[in-house]
Amino acid sequence: MATLTPERWREISPYLDRALSLAESEREDWLKSMRVERPQLAELLQRLLAEHRTLSEERFLERSPVHPQAQTSLEGQEVGPYRLVSPIGAGGMGSVWLGERSDGRFERRVAIKFLNFAVAAEGGAQRFQREGRILARIAHPHIAELIDAGVMGNGQPYLVLEHVEGQAIDEYCDGRRLDVDARIKLFLDILGAVAHAHANLVIHRDIKPSNVLVSSTGEVKLLDFGIAKLLSDDGDPAAGTMLTLGSGAMTPLFAAPEQVSGGAITTATDVYALGVLLYLLLTGQHPAGAGPRSPAELVKAITETEPARPSDAVASAGPGTETTAERRAATPERLRRQLRGDLDTIVAKALKKNPQERYPSAAAMADDLRRYLQHEPISARPDTIAYVGAKFLRRYWLPVTAVAVVVASLVVGLYIANRERVIAEERFGQLRKLSSQMFDLDTAIRRLPGSTQARERLVSIAVGYLDGLAANARGNLDLIEEVGEGYLRVARVQGVPTDLNLGEPKQAEASLEKADELMDGVLASRPHERRALFLSAQIANASMILATEEHRNQDALSYARKSAERLDRFMRSGGAQKPERNTAAGLYSNIAAVDLDLHLYSEAVVYARRLVELGRSIPSDLRVVDGLTSLCEAELYQGHSQRALQDLQEARAISQHMIYEGPSAGIFDEFGTLLHEGLLLGEDGAINLGRPKEAIDLIQRAFDIADKAAEKDSRDALSRERVVNAGIPLGNLLRERDPGRALAVYDLALKRSEEAGSSVVMMRKRALLLADSSGALMRLRRYAEAKRRIDESLAILRKTKDYPTAQMGLDSEAYVVLSAWGDYEGKRGDPGQARQIYEQLLAQAIAGKPAADTDLTHAPRMSRVYERLGELDRRTGRAASAEDMDSRRLKLWQGWAQKLPNNSFVRSELAAASFSKAASTGVRR
Amino acid sequence: MASSISSLMSAAEQGDSAAKEALFAALYAELHRLAQRQLARQGFGVTMSTTSLLHRAYIDIAEQEGAAFPDRTRFMGYAARVMRGLIIDYARNRQAQKRGGQFEITSLGIEAGNAADSGKLIQVSDALDELARADPGLAEIVDLRFFCGFTFAEIAAMKGVSERTAQREWEKARIYLHQAIRAELES
């Protein structure tokens, strides 16, 4: 019968489909029914099915046209001095037979591999044999020996190889549950073999698990060495290169990018394949990721996508994670930790897309792996922005100094809460001094010729550079993180107030937002990516500081929480190195300070405690003391005065042993802790421990230390600030007891404040000094002078725009000055005026948040306002109103006494309030 | 060359036979060029299977054409046909005892003489051309599997069918080709 016509074929095709989908047994029945319905069709079908049986037996088109069929008819055939025994398998390059010597000599059995190409050209056979023999000379214990190479009569080339029995290395390792170190040791054997071959100028080109066998005794053998080269290069350009076609499913799983894209093959190509193999051994996955891939996708992945770090690859949640770890005798967590760091770096270096960036040789890779095993530092460096950036530098030129600006390490500054300005300014001044010695950035900027414009230009170049990198960084995890960090550093230069900055908070915010977006992007798909977590915490921290500076409290709060959350996650994931822990401590310190500032005392306690713990673990005295002092403040404001005092005393004990180098004294040196403790013991108008005599003693000592230093050096602005900082509370404590002494203190402080310059901060302090000292003057009956000072202080506040304003709350300078004024008017001036002033203060206080009955910090001042008003009313005969004021004051402290029954400060305030109340009631009667 | 590969492919699919020829020529040139790039290398050679060659061609062309380029599947369909053309050309050359073009293709079998096997290849190709007239989808599968060496999994992915279906189609194709060749021999 003639061949099927297309029409016939179309007709029969669906029936064939049906027939082929049935099992043999069912087919017969189906055909029977067909014969009844459509006899002609059935007959054709039967014939075709018979044809199918025949062609199956013939193995028609079974192999691609280029693959020799491994037929049993070859058995016994002689090949050189060997005889074919049985087929071992069909490899990618040809069929392989087990062979033995045909002359009966019992030597080991061999593997005879028939290669998939024809050596038809003249001289080809000799060339093949010659090259084969070159290969054969590469003897190495871990390389399967090439015994001989030859060409048969019909041009069929063959190789005689050492017959190796063993398991593919990945199966071997998994089956025996070898741990990471054991796998690396095996891998080092492979590297030794490859290095040896490379030294003999032979490249393997086809390294994969099935080519690396491990015998039952644990011996590694690398197969098929150099055969690919033999196949491909016959050295004669005219004859051309052998091209192997279609060997079945050759997915380029182990192909290097240059192999896939037609670049030059070098020893680095083998390094790449070794990298893939190592990746597989360590993680059980292919660098292109888990899951099936079509060849085209794989090719794209190989040439373009950066692989996930091994430590991340094993950490991704999934059912396979446990099994993978088990096969490496570890838990997923432990495995991740083992791989993190040096092994990540080594694998990454082997897998670089650009061959020139990889290890130049297997020997170099082996060296680093050995260093890893011996816990020595490896030579490979993780990508840095400067290095990766080189790729993009062609487009984004960057002056060296700008790189220094972006890349210079910045220590996270300690941001101090506004609330306790005395202590705050203290610390800040210290830190600024310290930082100006330590920061590269500072000097880098200073060294630049020109002014702010030059610095700004540099920053904008840096931002442009980062924007460019960010646009190209998709998929490249390390680069994304580097860029994120770059934005963070730039933001610090632009305007985060802890550091020397250009005063551009809006720009800083913009940079921080970019950085945040990048990190959120990373964390969306990799929630456990540690570096992104850490950077994210730092970014949120910087945003928090900016927001606090601008009094955007809600924003500050949410940034604080974000920073805390990310930081906690980062710390919980474990393995933080010492510099990271130091930075983390700084972050916690800032969070605690902002919490304090926002009166969130329980949160502040949490983070201050974390800071202390962290400080102890680093170990860092500075951090511990920092934490203890923040803790002390928080506890104080919660009303746990005793605990606060204990913490402070512990801090002082530690700080006495701290040594700082350099001209700046330490942040928590003798002055600082003396002052701080003194304030705690007896600060007037604030929560304290009610031990004024001791307080005076300590603060006086601090005052003297500062003044002595100021005396010694007329350019020492810092010491002068300190004199003022100590002078204010000291004067206030002495005011009632010893006004003469108080005045001397105030006046000395005033003198130093003039010497210290005229910043806004200093001007405000002058206003305070003037106002506070008026109280001493009044006690000394020097009323006119008192009034003059009050007027002067009001004038200063007008200049600094602190008065009059809408918000003159209980913690403002305006409050202090107005109270002083009110006192004066009440005692010597116009009581009506006094009343107005106090009422204004009262209104402001009531309107302000948080309220005095929920926030202990405000209670004393509020109480003072009531007290003043009550006194005023009593003197002007307004009894009912006086009683009202006293009642309110009493109620305030009764409320607090219920909340904090054991607090001595509350108790003493309550006692004073009760006494007043009783007295006023008495008066009325 | 005026038209891009993608526009040629669209036109060819609409039955434009001039476009079909131009497409064949363009792809042939592309694949040939790629293969030659391997050959031109001094010092180190490279083995590249047909599949790698095709993937490389796909990536190259897709990059050039940009967004306009249609999907991989269609490309592979055409490219596989071209690949067969290249192989058959070579087989014909061998039959004629000329020293093979720019590249030598691996031998066909160890027990039979080479010339005969080249002949077999040509027979298969002729039969395939016939099958392509009756059932182009089946012919494509043979090109992909036999001449280019894709696995059933890959073919299934490319054609958007299950592996079982791809295998069954392959069996059908084999039936057709086998009986076609036999009929040819007998006549």
Side-chain angles (χ1 to χ4, degrees):
Chain A
M1 190 182 146
T3 55
L4 291 167
T5 59
E7 295 78 29
R8 208 84 173 102
W9 174 258
R10 275 191 277 273
E11 216 191 325
I12 197 109
S13 194
Y15 293 102
L16 257 186
D17 273 335
R18 183 93 179 96
L20 288 171
S21 64
L22 291 171
E24 277 285 353
S25 46
E26 298 169 306
R27 226 176 264 176
E28 207 29 65
D29 292 328
W30 178 76
L31 264 178
K32 240 191 259 174
S33 60
M34 274 297 286
R35 265 181 230 121
V36 170
E37 292 174 41
R38 316 269 308 263
Q40 264 195 318
L41 215 54
E43 201 202 313
L44 180 54
L45 266 173
Q46 190 151 11
R47 261 198 312 116
L48 290 177
L49 288 169
E51 188 106 35
H52 186 241
R53 271 193 294 277
T54 316
L55 69 83
S56 295
E57 277 159 33
E58 285 174 14
R59 324 265 305 255
F60 179 66
L61 297 187
E62 273 289 285
R63 296 274 183 243
S64 69
V66 299
H67 203 106
Q69 302 177 31
Q71 292 192 346
T72 49
S73 62
L74 281 178
E75 197 180 314
Q77 171 131 5
E78 303 235 339
V79 178
Y82 299 94
R83 181 171 45 230
L84 299 181
V85 173
S86 62
I88 297 178
M93 282 176 259
S95 59
V96 190
W97 282 75
L98 188 62
E100 61 186 10
R101 283 193 78 99
S102 49
D103 56 7
R105 282 210 301 215
F106 183 72
E107 285 176 11
R108 61 193 159 161
R109 285 199 166 168
V110 297
I112 299 182
K113 190 162 205 166
F114 295 103
L115 297 178
N116 251 353
F117 69 108
V119 199
E122 311 98 44
Q126 285 105 310
R127 205 178 301 117
F128 175 80
Q129 266 170 307
R130 193 174 59 232
E131 296 216 354
R133 276 163 199 157
I134 291 174
L135 276 181
R137 280 193 236 121
I138 300 177
H140 189 275
H142 295 301
I143 297 181
E145 190 186 339
L146 174 65
I147 297 168
D148 199 4
V151 181
M152 289 174 73
N154 60 358
Q156 172 65 50
Y158 64 90
L159 298 171
V160 183
L161 303 151
E162 176 190 347
H163 176 53
V164 177
E165 281 192 15
Q167 263 185 308
I169 185 166
D170 53 346
E171 286 170 19
Y172 178 86
C173 289
D174 285 348
R176 279 168 180 68
R177 288 187 173 4
L178 293 186
D179 68 11
V180 168
D181 279 6
R183 286 171 188 245
I184 291 177
K185 291 198 184 107
L186 264 185
F187 191 74
L188 279 171
D189 285 343
I190 304 170
L191 286 177
V194 175
H196 179 83
H198 285 178
N200 285 284
L201 305 179
V202 176
I203 304 172
H204 191 291
R205 294 164 210 254
D206 198 13
I207 296 174
K208 52 194 182 191
S210 55
N211 275 342
V212 183
L213 300 186
V214 188
S215 71
S216 51
T217 54
E219 222 196 321
V220 173
K221 286 265 190 206
L222 207 45
L223 309 181
D224 281 357
F225 224 113
I227 288 171
K229 177 179 192 287
L230 208 52
L231 278 181
S232 67
D233 185 357
D234 70 0
D236 178 355
T241 301
M242 312 294 185
L243 185 73
T244 319
L245 293 181
S247 53
M250 214 179 98
T251 43
L253 273 174
F254 289 83
E258 63 271 19
Q259 275 178 306
V260 161
S261 59
I265 308 297
T266 63
T267 51
T269 312
D270 272 353
V271 170
Y272 183 91
L274 286 165
V276 179
L277 183 57
L278 183 58
Y279 196 101
L280 190 64
L281 290 177
L282 293 177
T283 70
Q285 290 176 38
H286 187 275
R293 285 176 181 272
S294 74
E297 281 169 3
L298 202 46
V299 163
K300 193 161 162 56
I302 288 170
T303 49
E304 291 177 15
T305 319
E306 292 293 337
R309 286 193 262 236
S311 55
D312 289 336
V314 297
S316 38
T321 315
E322 291 285 339
T323 332
T324 306
E326 248 179 275
R327 290 196 182 131
R328 289 152 184 81
T331 62
E333 182 49 40
R334 183 150 172 266
L335 180 60
R336 192 189 63 77
R337 261 184 284 126
Q338 284 178 309
L339 300 181
R340 200 191 69 86
D342 282 349
L343 283 178
D344 276 343
T345 311
I346 292 174
V347 169
K349 188 166 167 122
L351 290 177
K352 287 269 184 268
K353 306 293 182 206
N354 182 352
Q356 288 172 343
E357 293 172 32
R358 298 174 203 152
Y359 287 106
S361 63
M365 190 173 177
D367 282 341
D368 257 1
L369 280 171
R370 267 188 286 269
R371 286 185 198 114
Y372 160 79
L373 285 175
Q374 285 155 17
H375 304 289
E376 284 166 19
I378 62 173
S379 76
R381 289 262 70 85
D383 286 329
T384 61
I385 199 173
Y387 176 69
V388 176
K391 277 201 247 188
F392 300 100
L393 271 181
R394 276 176 268 118
R395 277 193 290 166
Y396 298 100
W397 172 80
L398 198 64
V400 171
T401 37
V403 172
V405 167
V406 171
V407 167
S409 247
L410 294 180
V411 172
V412 171
L414 275 180
Y415 176 75
I416 312 299
N418 273 325
R419 174 62 184 88
E420 283 298 297
R421 273 187 223 108
V422 169
I423 302 157
E425 242 89 74
E426 186 47 58
R427 279 195 220 160
F428 189 63
Q430 286 278 25
L431 188 60
R432 229 184 315 136
K433 252 296 176 89
L434 219 108
S435 63
S436 65
Q437 260 96 38
M438 282 167 59
F439 294 164
D440 293 333
L441 173 64
D442 191 78
T443 37
I445 287 184
R446 288 219 188 100
R447 257 196 263 121
L448 288 172
S451 59
T452 318
Q453 279 116 345
R455 298 200 283 273
E456 281 171 352
R457 181 151 185 276
L458 265 177
V459 168
S460 75
I461 290 175
V463 171
Y465 174 62
L466 288 170
D467 285 345
L469 284 180
N472 285 285
R474 215 168 55 85
N476 185 337
L477 185 64
D478 280 325
L479 185 54
I480 292 178
E481 287 171 343
E482 286 286 3
V483 173
E485 188 165 358
Y487 278 129
L488 175 61
R489 289 171 173 160
V490 165
R492 288 191 181 130
V493 177
Q494 283 171 320
V496 180
T498 55
D499 310 289
L500 184 71
N501 69 81
L502 297 172
E504 296 281 2
K506 284 264 173 297
Q507 289 182 5
E509 259 179 77
S511 296
L512 287 172
E513 260 178 56
K514 285 183 197 166
D516 195 38
E517 220 182 284
L518 283 175
M519 289 310 115
D520 278 350
V522 170
L523 289 168
S525 51
R526 295 165 196 259
H528 305 293
E529 171 62 23
R530 295 187 71 252
R531 188 170 171 199
L533 278 175
F534 196 42
L535 278 172
S536 180
Q538 291 179 62
I539 292 161
N541 211 272
S543 303
M544 169 187 83
I545 291 170
L546 266 179
T548 322
E549 275 293 294
E550 295 170 11
H551 303 294
R552 292 181 283 122
N553 290 345
Q554 270 313 108
D555 288 344
L557 185 57
S558 57
Y559 284 127
R561 294 284 78 87
K562 181 167 185 179
S563 181
E565 192 254 331
R566 295 278 155 93
L567 189 55
D568 286 343
R569 265 162 71 188
F570 171 76
M571 296 304 293
R572 255 183 283 129
S573 71
Q577 312 285 5
K578 189 159 167 177
E580 288 170 330
R581 279 188 282 157
N582 234 316
T583 306
L587 296 177
Y588 278 133
S589 174
N590 292 349
I591 293 170
V594 167
D595 282 329
L596 278 174
D597 196 39
L598 297 175
H599 304 283
L600 299 165
Y601 302 122
S602 10
E603 278 87 338
V605 165
V606 168
Y607 289 104
R609 284 222 178 102
R610 265 192 213 156
L611 176 55
V612 173
E613 259 173 55
L614 194 50
R616 286 201 229 271
S617 83
I618 291 174
S620 162
D621 280 341
L622 172 60
R623 300 294 185 191
V624 172
V625 172
D626 180 8
L628 285 171
T629 33
S630 295
L631 191 54
C632 152
E633 283 176 53
E635 285 165 341
L636 188 60
Y637 302 147
Q638 283 179 323
H640 305 304
S641 323
Q642 224 17 67
R643 244 185 271 167
L645 184 61
Q646 278 167 354
D647 289 333
L648 187 65
Q649 282 168 342
E650 189 185 341
R652 186 140 82 91
I654 297 174
S655 69
Q656 273 165 1
H657 300 292
M658 292 198 301
I659 303 165
Y660 283 93
E661 282 159 5
S664 322
I667 294 170
F668 299 103
D669 64 349
E670 207 183 351
F671 173 86
T673 44
L674 278 172
L675 178 58
H676 208 147
E677 205 175 323
L679 291 172
L680 190 59
L681 284 169
E683 184 183 2
D684 186 54
I687 308 164
N688 63 72
L689 288 166
R691 287 144 69 166
K693 290 222 199 83
E694 293 168 62
I696 290 171
D697 187 40
L698 290 175
I699 301 178
Q700 180 74 61
R701 276 162 61 188
F703 185 79
D704 292 337
I705 289 173
D707 198 53
K708 224 197 311 190
E711 190 65 52
K712 255 211 300 208
D713 181 0
S714 60
R715 279 168 312 148
D716 187 352
L718 181 61
S719 295
R720 282 165 173 75
E721 274 180 60
R722 288 175 144 190
V723 171
V724 170
N725 292 342
I728 293 173
L730 182 57
N732 293 352
L733 274 168
L734 289 168
R735 225 175 358 197
E736 303 294 318
R737 297 171 179 83
D738 186 348
R741 186 174 157 199
L743 194 58
V745 168
Y746 285 130
D747 287 345
L748 180 50
L750 274 165
K751 176 166 145 219
R752 296 296 183 206
S753 80
E754 272 158 39
E755 293 165 6
S758 53
S759 64
V760 170
V761 165
M762 199 43 70
M763 282 172 68
R764 285 183 182 139
K765 296 209 175 155
R766 279 184 62 76
L768 287 178
L769 278 170
L770 288 165
D772 284 334
S773 62
S774 73
L777 283 167
M778 302 249 295
R779 289 287 252 110
L780 295 167
R781 297 183 198 285
R782 286 151 66 174
Y783 300 111
E785 277 180 71
K787 184 62 168 55
R788 260 202 306 278
R789 288 199 178 188
I790 290 170
D791 288 337
E792 204 183 325
S793 67
L794 275 172
I796 292 176
L797 287 189
R798 283 206 185 87
K799 247 195 270 174
T800 61
K801 306 244 198 314
D802 288 310
Y803 171 81
T805 74
Q807 285 195 10
M808 293 184 290
L810 288 169
D811 34 9
S812 64
E813 285 84 2
Y815 165 86
V816 173
V817 173
L818 284 173
S819 300
W821 187 19
D823 281 353
Y824 173 82
E825 294 295 340
K827 294 211 174 88
R828 288 297 292 189
D830 172 15
Q833 174 84 13
R835 188 150 226 290
Q836 252 188 347
I837 294 167
Y838 283 128
E839 271 173 4
Q840 186 184 35
L841 283 176
L842 184 60
Q844 294 268 4
I846 291 173
K849 291 218 181 323
D853 50 3
T854 46
D855 190 334
L856 193 54
T857 45
H858 286 166
R861 288 193 171 183
M862 181 69 126
S863 172
R864 191 62 61 85
V865 174
Y866 287 141
E867 193 186 340
R868 290 281 187 271
L869 273 168
E871 274 171 20
L872 202 56
D873 286 336
R874 261 192 296 280
R875 244 184 293 128
T876 54
R878 296 169 61 174
S881 176
E883 192 173 334
D884 182 35
M885 287 299 130
D886 289 335
S887 304
R888 288 212 229 175
R889 183 179 165 202
L890 185 60
K891 218 163 105 195
L892 176 64
W893 291 113
Q894 278 170 341
W896 277 109
Q898 272 196 323
K899 283 192 211 144
L900 302 171
N902 295 321
N903 191 294
S904 56
F905 176 74
V906 169
R907 263 183 289 150
S908 64
E909 288 289 322
L910 181 59
S914 315
F915 181 75
S916 282
K917 180 83 171 36
S920 77
T921 319
V923 162
R924 197 161 62 105
R925 279 207 213 98
Chain B
M1 166 132 92
S3 309
S4 67
I5 303 268
S6 51
S7 59
L8 284 176
M9 276 169 63
S10 311
E13 262 153 32
Q14 280 157 24
D16 181 350
S17 46
K20 271 191 205 157
E21 279 178 38
L23 179 61
F24 190 93
L27 283 177
Y28 189 103
E30 178 72 28
L31 286 169
H32 204 258
R33 181 183 66 77
L34 261 179
Q36 276 194 293
R37 240 179 33 196
Q38 314 310 322
L39 317 181
R41 208 145 316 285
Q42 299 297 328
F44 297 112
V46 67
T47 55
M48 186 183 260
S49 71
T50 18
T51 28
S52 308
L53 193 68
L54 288 176
H55 288 309
R56 187 63 245 161
Y58 171 72
I59 288 175
D60 277 352
I61 290 174
E63 267 170 10
Q64 287 165 33
E65 308 260 330
F69 198 71
D71 59 79
R72 187 183 66 234
T73 300
R74 286 159 68 202
F75 174 85
M76 284 304 171
Y78 290 112
R81 174 67 188 89
V82 172
M83 206 63 233
R84 166 165 49 113
L86 280 169
I87 293 171
I88 296 304
D89 280 351
Y90 181 68
R92 281 194 229 274
N93 282 338
R94 291 208 73 168
Q95 260 202 327
Q97 299 288 339
K98 273 193 225 156
R99 200 148 162 264
Q102 290 292 97
F103 51 91
E104 291 183 328
I105 307 179
T106 64
S107 77
L108 303 175
I110 58 171
E111 77 281 16
N114 294 334
D117 283 320
S118 297
K120 269 199 197 138
L121 258 186
I122 295 168
Q123 275 178 335
V124 170
S125 180
D126 289 342
L128 253 186
D129 283 336
E130 229 186 88
L131 176 57
R133 284 192 287 276
D135 195 336
L138 287 189
E140 188 176 83
I141 292 200
V142 178
D143 282 334
L144 287 169
R145 173 145 173 85
F146 182 67
F147 287 95
C148 299
F150 285 105
T151 59
F152 284 124
E154 291 160 356
I155 293 170
M158 274 191 260
K159 305 203 83 172
V161 299
S162 69
E163 255 188 76
R164 282 246 347 102
T165 304
Q167 279 169 336
R168 212 179 45 239
E169 301 271 283
W170 165 251
E171 295 303 323
K172 276 205 308 193
R174 284 211 297 170
I175 291 175
Y176 185 98
L177 292 173
H178 194 261
Q179 65 86 35
I181 291 174
R182 209 168 37 75
E184 181 63 33
L185 289 175
E186 281 163 10
S187 63

